[in-house]
Amino acid sequence: MLWVVQVFAVAAALLHVGIFVMESVRFGDPKVYQGVFRVSGAELPAARPWAFNQGFYNLFLAVTTLVGVAILRTVPAAGWALVLAGCGSMLAAAVVLVAHDRRFARGAVVQGALPALTLLAAVTQL
């Protein structure tokens, strides 16, 4: 059932690529900064550099996870290390988000559900 881990991990990574796009590419769109991230127009100039940096952080987690999935069957030790580090960091970030501000519980669930499922599925494989 290794394929289940791989499917969840790829889905988590693709979600984080989407988050990268919102934070680093489309953050200036009011639907994104106001609707998704609850940032006011007045706060936008201060929040934009933070969001840009955070977007790349999410992209790097996605790349780490995707590389892990790609090598999981051929170099298992390295593949597992990358998948677990990438998804573990994604899940930890979701926990920090909701622990800091409960208003972001929905976002934390969206951000953390697929990495959590990946890690749960991985437990059966290790």
Side-chain angles (χ1 to χ4, degrees):
M1 298 289 273
L2 183 58
W3 67 271
V4 173
V5 173
Q6 291 175 298
V7 168
F8 282 142
V10 167
L14 293 177
L15 174 68
H16 279 72
V17 169
I19 295 169
F20 156 75
V21 170
M22 285 190 296
E23 291 174 335
S24 296
V25 178
R26 297 192 56 231
F27 195 76
D29 181 342
K31 291 178 185 175
V32 175
Y33 71 81
Q34 289 176 338
V36 177
F37 296 105
R38 301 178 184 176
V39 172
S40 71
E43 298 168 316
L44 180 61
R48 186 176 251 158
W50 156 83
F52 185 79
N53 184 66
Q54 187 65 30
F56 275 90
Y57 180 84
N58 282 304
L59 178 64
F60 300 149
L61 288 177
V63 169
T64 297
T65 302
L66 290 171
V67 170
V69 168
I71 66 171
L72 194 54
R73 292 181 187 269
T74 56
V75 189
W80 279 115
L82 292 171
V83 168
L84 296 177
C87 287
S89 294
M90 291 173 191
L91 180 57
V95 170
V96 168
L97 179 63
V98 74
H100 175 70
D101 190 336
R102 302 233 188 258
R103 292 178 300 153
F104 293 107
R106 181 179 178 275
V109 169
V110 169
Q111 178 180 336
L114 289 168
L117 290 171
T118 302
L119 297 172
L120 287 172
V123 168
T124 66
Q125 299 295 309
L126 297 174

